[in-house]
Amino acid sequence: CASDGREDETLGALRAGAEFSGVLFVLYACDRTSLLAKASKVRDRSAFWGLWWVVSLASVATIRAVAKPRVLAREQTDEWKGWMQLMFLLYHYFAETELYNAIRVYIACYVWMTGYGNFLYYQKTENFGAVRLVQTLFRLNFLAVMVCLLLRNEYMLYYICPMHTLFTLFVWLALRLGKHRNHDGRVLLLKLVATLASVYALYDVERVFRVAFGWRPLRNLLAFHDPLHPEFQDELHEWHFRSGLDRFVWVWGMACAAAMPLLDRFFDIVDASRAPRRLAARFAVVLLALAPFAPWTTSVYLRDKFAYNALHPYTSWLPLSVYVLLRNLAPPLQRQPP
């Protein structure tokens, strides 16, 4: 009956609130009390990779087939996010600084998915309503805001949240304007070019950046005062640097989402062809993907972190595109992990 349903909802909300309060208590106890002794990070490459392989082998037990196989099905993107998140945690825990460039690519993959996923949703549903947008922004920011309030940290310490928030709003705006033309290829191309040019002006023309982010209270939210680098007097430096590293890749995510029907059609044609032609087509895709990937690895990825950072905004689209192509090269790969 209706009363039972309301009771279940109330109990569910109370349980969720209690669990969340418990999580916040643990965070506070670990970070702001002497309950647990503080220690320096210990770099141990054997422990890093050993733990990685233990978790990877354990995850094999959870492999399951995808209900509706397709390029970048939800199960596949969840898998992608999962193993990257594990690498983030291990990277910071063991201070494996040698993997910095790889971690930057993984962050770019997350930002790419912001453009890709939001584009697909808005183009399919045409739901640009405030309720859905607020729900999305709430999910992106709620935990970070509560942790900031609890620990009295600056919001920019969790820069991933404002960065994804900004790019989510940009995707919404780009598709909301002229929304009735979002299925017109020429209009979409014009939107993508205009969006790319706008992002370039926002981040690469300093005056535009200062005007856009320098007004209060937005400046207060995005300001960061790094105790480890007091030489940085510009409180917006961290925001410009962190969000600027991935300022273009979410636009590439939108472009890939727009082109996804073509990729799906290509794979359908390949899968329906006879074995020799099918193998030849897949081999050609592998060659096409690896041809630029090899020079990117030697000329970009293997540079030191500072040189790599300078090239990252313009090149991060390449390795993630190669991953998407190779990860979906054949139907068995789309049905379950390799």
Side-chain angles (χ1 to χ4, degrees):
C1 65
S3 60
D4 291 338
R6 286 194 295 270
E7 288 179 2
D8 290 341
E9 291 180 1
T10 301
L11 289 174
L14 290 173
R15 178 177 179 177
E19 291 176 351
F20 186 67
S21 299
V23 170
L24 292 180
F25 173 78
V26 171
L27 289 176
Y28 186 86
C30 292
D31 201 70
R32 290 294 189 268
T33 71
S34 58
L35 186 63
L36 296 177
K38 291 178 172 57
S40 301
K41 295 180 180 180
V42 177
R43 296 181 60 187
D44 188 331
R45 183 170 296 179
S46 298
F48 175 90
W49 288 111
L51 186 56
W52 163 257
W53 283 113
V54 168
V55 176
S56 298
L57 291 174
S59 68
V60 171
T62 68
I63 289 179
R64 63 185 186 277
V66 176
K68 295 181 179 180
R70 59 184 175 85
V71 177
L72 288 178
R74 177 60 179 269
E75 295 88 344
Q76 187 183 131
T77 55
D78 285 346
E79 165 210 300
W80 191 5
K81 294 175 185 177
W83 67 257
M84 289 193 299
Q85 189 64 56
L86 176 61
M87 290 297 289
F88 293 154
L89 294 173
L90 295 178
Y91 165 79
H92 285 292
Y93 187 85
F94 289 102
E96 281 293 321
T97 54
E98 292 86 353
L99 293 177
Y100 174 85
N101 294 355
I103 296 300
R104 287 255 60 95
V105 173
Y106 298 161
I107 294 173
C109 291
Y110 265 85
V111 179
W112 178 89
M113 281 187 264
T114 290
Y116 177 84
N118 281 293
F119 182 99
L120 287 182
Y121 175 83
Y122 289 125
Q123 188 184 52
K124 179 180 179 180
T125 66
E126 299 183 352
N127 176 16
F128 295 92
V131 173
R132 198 273 174 179
L133 181 62
V134 170
Q135 288 174 338
T136 301
L137 301 184
F138 178 85
R139 290 196 300 269
L140 285 173
N141 292 280
F142 176 66
L143 177 60
V145 169
M146 295 304 295
V147 172
C148 286
L149 294 175
L150 178 71
L151 304 181
R152 300 178 65 83
N153 284 334
E154 290 184 310
Y155 184 46
M156 259 305 295
L157 192 61
Y158 314 97
Y159 76 93
I160 289 292
C161 298
M163 180 177 70
H164 281 283
T165 296
L166 178 68
F167 298 154
T168 294
L169 288 172
F170 281 173
V171 176
W172 179 88
L173 181 62
L175 296 180
R176 176 64 180 81
L177 297 175
K179 61 180 181 179
H180 59 287
R181 303 292 298 277
N182 283 339
H183 293 278
D184 186 325
R186 289 172 297 182
V187 173
L188 281 180
L189 179 60
L190 181 62
K191 286 188 176 189
L192 290 172
V193 172
T195 300
L196 197 63
S198 300
V199 172
Y200 175 83
L202 179 63
Y203 278 93
D204 293 86
V205 179
E206 184 175 0
R207 183 175 180 81
V208 176
F209 178 84
R210 296 294 169 182
V211 170
F213 298 112
W215 55 277
R216 302 183 189 278
L218 182 61
R219 183 187 182 96
N220 295 339
L221 282 175
L222 301 178
F224 185 68
H225 306 91
D226 190 349
L228 299 179
H229 296 283
E231 70 273 15
F232 294 148
Q233 298 298 313
D234 180 7
E235 59 186 10
L236 289 179
H237 167 83
E238 194 74 5
W239 168 246
H240 185 271
F241 169 66
R242 296 289 181 180
S243 63
L245 282 171
D246 297 308
R247 62 188 181 273
F248 298 124
V249 74
W250 61 274
V251 185
W252 178 241
M254 293 175 65
C256 290
M260 190 53 62
L262 297 177
L263 185 61
D264 282 330
R265 197 173 307 133
F266 169 76
F267 278 125
D268 288 341
I269 293 173
V270 170
D271 295 338
S273 61
R274 294 184 177 182
R277 296 185 63 181
R278 185 166 62 245
L279 292 175
R282 290 173 181 163
F283 184 69
V285 170
V286 172
L287 290 181
L288 183 65
L290 295 183
F293 183 74
W296 171 84
T297 302
T298 56
S299 301
V300 178
Y301 179 75
L302 294 180
R303 291 172 178 252
D304 68 81
K305 63 180 292 185
F306 299 104
Y308 176 80
N309 282 340
L311 298 174
H312 175 83
Y314 314 102
T315 60
S316 61
W317 63 272
L318 196 153
L320 69 86
S321 301
V322 171
Y323 174 84
V324 171
L325 283 174
L326 299 184
R327 180 65 182 79
N328 293 275
L329 189 59
L333 295 176
Q334 297 176 19
R335 284 194 293 269
Q336 61 185 30

mmCIF file of all heavy atoms in Angstrom, residues 165-199:
data_model
loop_
_atom_site.group_PDB
_atom_site.id
_atom_site.type_symbol
_atom_site.label_atom_id
_atom_site.label_comp_id
_atom_site.label_asym_id
_atom_site.label_seq_id
_atom_site.Cartn_x
_atom_site.Cartn_y
_atom_site.Cartn_z
ATOM 1 N N THR A 165 32.009 19.861 -13.753
ATOM 2 C CA THR A 165 30.824 20.711 -13.714
ATOM 3 C C THR A 165 30.844 21.720 -14.851
ATOM 4 O O THR A 165 29.843 21.888 -15.569
ATOM 5 C CB THR A 165 30.751 21.453 -12.367
ATOM 6 O OG1 THR A 165 30.578 20.498 -11.314
ATOM 7 C CG2 THR A 165 29.580 22.434 -12.344
ATOM 8 N N LEU A 166 31.968 22.374 -15.042
ATOM 9 C CA LEU A 166 32.083 23.374 -16.105
ATOM 10 C C LEU A 166 31.853 22.749 -17.472
ATOM 11 O O LEU A 166 31.062 23.265 -18.285
ATOM 12 C CB LEU A 166 33.459 24.033 -16.049
ATOM 13 C CG LEU A 166 33.734 25.067 -17.141
ATOM 14 C CD1 LEU A 166 32.866 26.299 -16.947
ATOM 15 C CD2 LEU A 166 35.212 25.458 -17.158
ATOM 16 N N PHE A 167 32.516 21.632 -17.737
ATOM 17 C CA PHE A 167 32.404 21.024 -19.058
ATOM 18 C C PHE A 167 31.024 20.412 -19.284
ATOM 19 O O PHE A 167 30.525 20.379 -20.423
ATOM 20 C CB PHE A 167 33.511 19.986 -19.242
ATOM 21 C CG PHE A 167 34.902 20.577 -19.187
ATOM 22 C CD1 PHE A 167 35.997 19.813 -18.799
ATOM 23 C CD2 PHE A 167 35.118 21.906 -19.514
ATOM 24 C CE1 PHE A 167 37.267 20.354 -18.742
ATOM 25 C CE2 PHE A 167 36.386 22.469 -19.454
ATOM 26 C CZ PHE A 167 37.464 21.689 -19.070
ATOM 27 N N THR A 168 30.386 19.934 -18.231
ATOM 28 C CA THR A 168 29.007 19.449 -18.353
ATOM 29 C C THR A 168 28.081 20.590 -18.744
ATOM 30 O O THR A 168 27.205 20.430 -19.610
ATOM 31 C CB THR A 168 28.547 18.829 -17.018
ATOM 32 O OG1 THR A 168 29.319 17.658 -16.745
ATOM 33 C CG2 THR A 168 27.072 18.443 -17.078
ATOM 34 N N LEU A 169 28.264 21.747 -18.117
ATOM 35 C CA LEU A 169 27.438 22.908 -18.456
ATOM 36 C C LEU A 169 27.700 23.359 -19.893
ATOM 37 O O LEU A 169 26.773 23.776 -20.603
ATOM 38 C CB LEU A 169 27.732 24.052 -17.486
ATOM 39 C CG LEU A 169 27.210 23.863 -16.057
ATOM 40 C CD1 LEU A 169 27.740 24.969 -15.149
ATOM 41 C CD2 LEU A 169 25.690 23.850 -16.033
ATOM 42 N N PHE A 170 28.938 23.260 -20.334
ATOM 43 C CA PHE A 170 29.257 23.653 -21.705
ATOM 44 C C PHE A 170 28.582 22.727 -22.723
ATOM 45 O O PHE A 170 28.090 23.183 -23.758
ATOM 46 C CB PHE A 170 30.772 23.654 -21.915
ATOM 47 C CG PHE A 170 31.464 24.868 -21.363
ATOM 48 C CD1 PHE A 170 32.847 24.944 -21.345
ATOM 49 C CD2 PHE A 170 30.744 25.929 -20.848
ATOM 50 C CE1 PHE A 170 33.501 26.062 -20.837
ATOM 51 C CE2 PHE A 170 31.380 27.054 -20.336
ATOM 52 C CZ PHE A 170 32.770 27.119 -20.338
ATOM 53 N N VAL A 171 28.584 21.417 -22.431
ATOM 54 C CA VAL A 171 27.895 20.482 -23.334
ATOM 55 C C VAL A 171 26.408 20.811 -23.370
ATOM 56 O O VAL A 171 25.789 20.842 -24.447
ATOM 57 C CB VAL A 171 28.111 19.018 -22.878
ATOM 58 C CG1 VAL A 171 27.305 18.070 -23.756
ATOM 59 C CG2 VAL A 171 29.582 18.651 -22.923
ATOM 60 N N TRP A 172 25.833 21.037 -22.209
ATOM 61 C CA TRP A 172 24.410 21.387 -22.128
ATOM 62 C C TRP A 172 24.114 22.639 -22.950
ATOM 63 O O TRP A 172 23.156 22.669 -23.720
ATOM 64 C CB TRP A 172 24.028 21.621 -20.661
ATOM 65 C CG TRP A 172 22.593 22.014 -20.457
ATOM 66 C CD1 TRP A 172 21.519 21.186 -20.291
ATOM 67 C CD2 TRP A 172 22.076 23.355 -20.408
ATOM 68 N NE1 TRP A 172 20.367 21.919 -20.139
ATOM 69 C CE2 TRP A 172 20.680 23.258 -20.197
ATOM 70 C CE3 TRP A 172 22.650 24.616 -20.505
ATOM 71 C CZ2 TRP A 172 19.852 24.379 -20.094
ATOM 72 C CZ3 TRP A 172 21.830 25.740 -20.410
ATOM 73 C CH2 TRP A 172 20.466 25.605 -20.206
ATOM 74 N N LEU A 173 24.939 23.654 -22.801
ATOM 75 C CA LEU A 173 24.715 24.913 -23.509
ATOM 76 C C LEU A 173 24.848 24.740 -25.020
ATOM 77 O O LEU A 173 24.020 25.248 -25.794
ATOM 78 C CB LEU A 173 25.701 25.966 -23.012
ATOM 79 C CG LEU A 173 25.595 27.357 -23.643
ATOM 80 C CD1 LEU A 173 24.232 27.978 -23.341
ATOM 81 C CD2 LEU A 173 26.716 28.266 -23.136
ATOM 82 N N ALA A 174 25.877 24.008 -25.433
ATOM 83 C CA ALA A 174 26.112 23.824 -26.866
ATOM 84 C C ALA A 174 24.941 23.123 -27.547
ATOM 85 O O ALA A 174 24.564 23.465 -28.673
ATOM 86 C CB ALA A 174 27.403 23.034 -27.088
ATOM 87 N N LEU A 175 24.360 22.145 -26.870
ATOM 88 C CA LEU A 175 23.256 21.395 -27.470
ATOM 89 C C LEU A 175 21.900 22.028 -27.182
ATOM 90 O O LEU A 175 20.926 21.774 -27.916
ATOM 91 C CB LEU A 175 23.275 19.952 -26.961
ATOM 92 C CG LEU A 175 24.506 19.148 -27.369
ATOM 93 C CD1 LEU A 175 24.433 17.732 -26.819
ATOM 94 C CD2 LEU A 175 24.655 19.108 -28.885
ATOM 95 N N ARG A 176 21.802 22.835 -26.143
ATOM 96 C CA ARG A 176 20.539 23.504 -25.832
ATOM 97 C C ARG A 176 20.229 24.577 -26.853
ATOM 98 O O ARG A 176 19.064 24.768 -27.245
ATOM 99 C CB ARG A 176 20.614 24.124 -24.422
ATOM 100 C CG ARG A 176 19.373 24.933 -24.023
ATOM 101 C CD ARG A 176 18.154 24.047 -23.956
ATOM 102 N NE ARG A 176 16.960 24.793 -23.588
ATOM 103 C CZ ARG A 176 16.225 25.530 -24.410
ATOM 104 N NH1 ARG A 176 16.610 25.647 -25.685
ATOM 105 N NH2 ARG A 176 15.158 26.158 -23.985
ATOM 106 N N LEU A 177 21.260 25.299 -27.301
ATOM 107 C CA LEU A 177 21.056 26.322 -28.324
ATOM 108 C C LEU A 177 20.752 25.651 -29.662
ATOM 109 O O LEU A 177 21.525 24.827 -30.143
ATOM 110 C CB LEU A 177 22.309 27.198 -28.445
ATOM 111 C CG LEU A 177 22.692 28.002 -27.190
ATOM 112 C CD1 LEU A 177 24.019 28.726 -27.404
ATOM 113 C CD2 LEU A 177 21.598 28.985 -26.821
ATOM 114 N N GLY A 178 19.637 25.972 -30.233
ATOM 115 C CA GLY A 178 19.236 25.338 -31.491
ATOM 116 C C GLY A 178 19.020 23.849 -31.343
ATOM 117 O O GLY A 178 19.416 23.066 -32.210
ATOM 118 N N LYS A 179 18.375 23.446 -30.243
ATOM 119 C CA LYS A 179 18.248 22.021 -29.923
ATOM 120 C C LYS A 179 17.477 21.244 -30.983
ATOM 121 O O LYS A 179 17.686 20.040 -31.138
ATOM 122 C CB LYS A 179 17.578 21.841 -28.567
ATOM 123 C CG LYS A 179 16.168 22.401 -28.474
ATOM 124 C CD LYS A 179 15.591 22.179 -27.086
ATOM 125 C CE LYS A 179 14.162 22.716 -26.983
ATOM 126 N NZ LYS A 179 13.578 22.492 -25.645
ATOM 127 N N HIS A 180 16.604 21.915 -31.736
ATOM 128 C CA HIS A 180 15.826 21.217 -32.767
ATOM 129 C C HIS A 180 16.677 20.854 -33.980
ATOM 130 O O HIS A 180 16.213 20.127 -34.864
ATOM 131 C CB HIS A 180 14.652 22.082 -33.204
ATOM 132 C CG HIS A 180 15.059 23.420 -33.759
ATOM 133 N ND1 HIS A 180 15.535 24.430 -32.949
ATOM 134 C CD2 HIS A 180 15.090 23.893 -35.039
ATOM 135 C CE1 HIS A 180 15.833 25.484 -33.712
ATOM 136 N NE2 HIS A 180 15.579 25.182 -34.966
ATOM 137 N N ARG A 181 17.934 21.319 -34.010
ATOM 138 C CA ARG A 181 18.824 21.007 -35.139
ATOM 139 C C ARG A 181 19.947 20.059 -34.743
ATOM 140 O O ARG A 181 20.916 19.900 -35.484
ATOM 141 C CB ARG A 181 19.431 22.303 -35.689
ATOM 142 C CG ARG A 181 18.433 23.351 -36.138
ATOM 143 C CD ARG A 181 17.662 22.907 -37.373
ATOM 144 N NE ARG A 181 18.558 22.713 -38.496
ATOM 145 C CZ ARG A 181 18.983 23.716 -39.293
ATOM 146 N NH1 ARG A 181 18.591 24.961 -39.040
ATOM 147 N NH2 ARG A 181 19.771 23.458 -40.312
ATOM 148 N N ASN A 182 19.819 19.405 -33.580
ATOM 149 C CA ASN A 182 20.906 18.553 -33.092
ATOM 150 C C ASN A 182 21.086 17.264 -33.875
ATOM 151 O O ASN A 182 22.036 16.516 -33.619
ATOM 152 C CB ASN A 182 20.695 18.215 -31.605
ATOM 153 C CG ASN A 182 21.065 19.374 -30.694
ATOM 154 O OD1 ASN A 182 21.823 20.265 -31.075
ATOM 155 N ND2 ASN A 182 20.519 19.379 -29.489
ATOM 156 N N HIS A 183 20.200 16.959 -34.808
ATOM 157 C CA HIS A 183 20.363 15.769 -35.640
ATOM 158 C C HIS A 183 20.823 16.136 -37.055
ATOM 159 O O HIS A 183 20.910 15.272 -37.923
ATOM 160 C CB HIS A 183 19.055 14.974 -35.697
ATOM 161 C CG HIS A 183 18.667 14.373 -34.384
ATOM 162 N ND1 HIS A 183 19.198 13.181 -33.928
ATOM 163 C CD2 HIS A 183 17.832 14.808 -33.406
ATOM 164 C CE1 HIS A 183 18.692 12.896 -32.739
ATOM 165 N NE2 HIS A 183 17.860 13.866 -32.400
ATOM 166 N N ASP A 184 21.094 17.409 -37.257
ATOM 167 C CA ASP A 184 21.597 17.898 -38.545
ATOM 168 C C ASP A 184 23.126 17.898 -38.477
ATOM 169 O O ASP A 184 23.725 18.623 -37.682
ATOM 170 C CB ASP A 184 21.060 19.303 -38.803
ATOM 171 C CG ASP A 184 21.428 19.830 -40.186
ATOM 172 O OD1 ASP A 184 22.527 19.525 -40.675
ATOM 173 O OD2 ASP A 184 20.603 20.550 -40.777
ATOM 174 N N GLY A 185 23.754 17.078 -39.300
ATOM 175 C CA GLY A 185 25.201 16.926 -39.262
ATOM 176 C C GLY A 185 25.947 18.230 -39.464
ATOM 177 O O GLY A 185 26.947 18.497 -38.782
ATOM 178 N N ARG A 186 25.486 19.077 -40.372
ATOM 179 C CA ARG A 186 26.175 20.340 -40.631
ATOM 180 C C ARG A 186 26.065 21.289 -39.435
ATOM 181 O O ARG A 186 27.027 21.980 -39.098
ATOM 182 C CB ARG A 186 25.599 20.988 -41.886
ATOM 183 C CG ARG A 186 25.953 20.265 -43.188
ATOM 184 C CD ARG A 186 25.212 20.831 -44.361
ATOM 185 N NE ARG A 186 23.757 20.651 -44.223
ATOM 186 C CZ ARG A 186 22.872 21.020 -45.130
ATOM 187 N NH1 ARG A 186 23.290 21.609 -46.248
ATOM 188 N NH2 ARG A 186 21.581 20.813 -44.946
ATOM 189 N N VAL A 187 24.898 21.301 -38.813
ATOM 190 C CA VAL A 187 24.721 22.150 -37.633
ATOM 191 C C VAL A 187 25.592 21.650 -36.478
ATOM 192 O O VAL A 187 26.219 22.438 -35.762
ATOM 193 C CB VAL A 187 23.238 22.194 -37.209
ATOM 194 C CG1 VAL A 187 23.078 22.944 -35.884
ATOM 195 C CG2 VAL A 187 22.405 22.854 -38.296
ATOM 196 N N LEU A 188 25.652 20.329 -36.315
ATOM 197 C CA LEU A 188 26.493 19.765 -35.260
ATOM 198 C C LEU A 188 27.959 20.118 -35.486
ATOM 199 O O LEU A 188 28.684 20.443 -34.535
ATOM 200 C CB LEU A 188 26.323 18.251 -35.199
ATOM 201 C CG LEU A 188 25.075 17.731 -34.492
ATOM 202 C CD1 LEU A 188 25.051 16.208 -34.524
ATOM 203 C CD2 LEU A 188 25.016 18.219 -33.048
ATOM 204 N N LEU A 189 28.403 20.029 -36.719
ATOM 205 C CA LEU A 189 29.791 20.383 -37.032
ATOM 206 C C LEU A 189 30.053 21.845 -36.685
ATOM 207 O O LEU A 189 31.092 22.178 -36.103
ATOM 208 C CB LEU A 189 30.076 20.131 -38.512
ATOM 209 C CG LEU A 189 31.495 20.476 -38.985
ATOM 210 C CD1 LEU A 189 32.532 19.662 -38.222
ATOM 211 C CD2 LEU A 189 31.626 20.245 -40.491
ATOM 212 N N LEU A 190 29.104 22.712 -37.027
ATOM 213 C CA LEU A 190 29.248 24.126 -36.711
ATOM 214 C C LEU A 190 29.300 24.342 -35.198
ATOM 215 O O LEU A 190 30.110 25.135 -34.689
ATOM 216 C CB LEU A 190 28.081 24.913 -37.310
ATOM 217 C CG LEU A 190 28.092 26.433 -37.086
ATOM 218 C CD1 LEU A 190 29.338 27.049 -37.730
ATOM 219 C CD2 LEU A 190 26.827 27.066 -37.656
ATOM 220 N N LYS A 191 28.468 23.606 -34.453
ATOM 221 C CA LYS A 191 28.477 23.723 -32.995
ATOM 222 C C LYS A 191 29.808 23.276 -32.410
ATOM 223 O O LYS A 191 30.343 23.895 -31.486
ATOM 224 C CB LYS A 191 27.333 22.897 -32.398
ATOM 225 C CG LYS A 191 25.947 23.492 -32.570
ATOM 226 C CD LYS A 191 24.925 22.702 -31.771
ATOM 227 C CE LYS A 191 23.553 23.354 -31.849
ATOM 228 N NZ LYS A 191 22.581 22.740 -30.929
ATOM 229 N N LEU A 192 30.335 22.179 -32.927
ATOM 230 C CA LEU A 192 31.602 21.671 -32.418
ATOM 231 C C LEU A 192 32.740 22.650 -32.686
ATOM 232 O O LEU A 192 33.580 22.895 -31.804
ATOM 233 C CB LEU A 192 31.909 20.310 -33.053
ATOM 234 C CG LEU A 192 31.017 19.140 -32.619
ATOM 235 C CD1 LEU A 192 31.299 17.910 -33.475
ATOM 236 C CD2 LEU A 192 31.245 18.820 -31.143
ATOM 237 N N VAL A 193 32.780 23.212 -33.886
ATOM 238 C CA VAL A 193 33.823 24.185 -34.218
ATOM 239 C C VAL A 193 33.694 25.427 -33.351
ATOM 240 O O VAL A 193 34.694 25.951 -32.826
ATOM 241 C CB VAL A 193 33.754 24.556 -35.710
ATOM 242 C CG1 VAL A 193 34.706 25.703 -36.024
ATOM 243 C CG2 VAL A 193 34.102 23.342 -36.578
ATOM 244 N N ALA A 194 32.451 25.905 -33.163
ATOM 245 C CA ALA A 194 32.221 27.086 -32.342
ATOM 246 C C ALA A 194 32.602 26.813 -30.879
ATOM 247 O O ALA A 194 33.188 27.667 -30.205
ATOM 248 C CB ALA A 194 30.761 27.516 -32.440
ATOM 249 N N THR A 195 32.271 25.618 -30.402
ATOM 250 C CA THR A 195 32.623 25.252 -29.026
ATOM 251 C C THR A 195 34.127 25.188 -28.853
ATOM 252 O O THR A 195 34.682 25.690 -27.861
ATOM 253 C CB THR A 195 31.997 23.896 -28.665
ATOM 254 O OG1 THR A 195 30.574 23.970 -28.787
ATOM 255 C CG2 THR A 195 32.348 23.492 -27.249
ATOM 256 N N LEU A 196 34.806 24.587 -29.815
ATOM 257 C CA LEU A 196 36.265 24.480 -29.744
ATOM 258 C C LEU A 196 36.909 25.864 -29.749
ATOM 259 O O LEU A 196 37.830 26.139 -28.963
ATOM 260 C CB LEU A 196 36.763 23.651 -30.932
ATOM 261 C CG LEU A 196 38.176 23.082 -30.838
ATOM 262 C CD1 LEU A 196 38.278 22.102 -29.677
ATOM 263 C CD2 LEU A 196 38.536 22.369 -32.146
ATOM 264 N N ALA A 197 36.405 26.743 -30.604
ATOM 265 C CA ALA A 197 36.956 28.103 -30.669
ATOM 266 C C ALA A 197 36.692 28.858 -29.371
ATOM 267 O O ALA A 197 37.556 29.612 -28.890
ATOM 268 C CB ALA A 197 36.335 28.849 -31.852
ATOM 269 N N SER A 198 35.518 28.655 -28.786
ATOM 270 C CA SER A 198 35.177 29.332 -27.530
ATOM 271 C C SER A 198 36.081 28.862 -26.399
ATOM 272 O O SER A 198 36.544 29.671 -25.570
ATOM 273 C CB SER A 198 33.715 29.076 -27.177
ATOM 274 O OG SER A 198 32.855 29.563 -28.177
ATOM 275 N N VAL A 199 36.352 27.558 -26.344
ATOM 276 C CA VAL A 199 37.223 27.026 -25.299
ATOM 277 C C VAL A 199 38.646 27.553 -25.479
ATOM 278 O O VAL A 199 39.324 27.890 -24.501
ATOM 279 C CB VAL A 199 37.205 25.481 -25.318
ATOM 280 C CG1 VAL A 199 38.244 24.917 -24.362
ATOM 281 C CG2 VAL A 199 35.822 24.969 -24.949
#
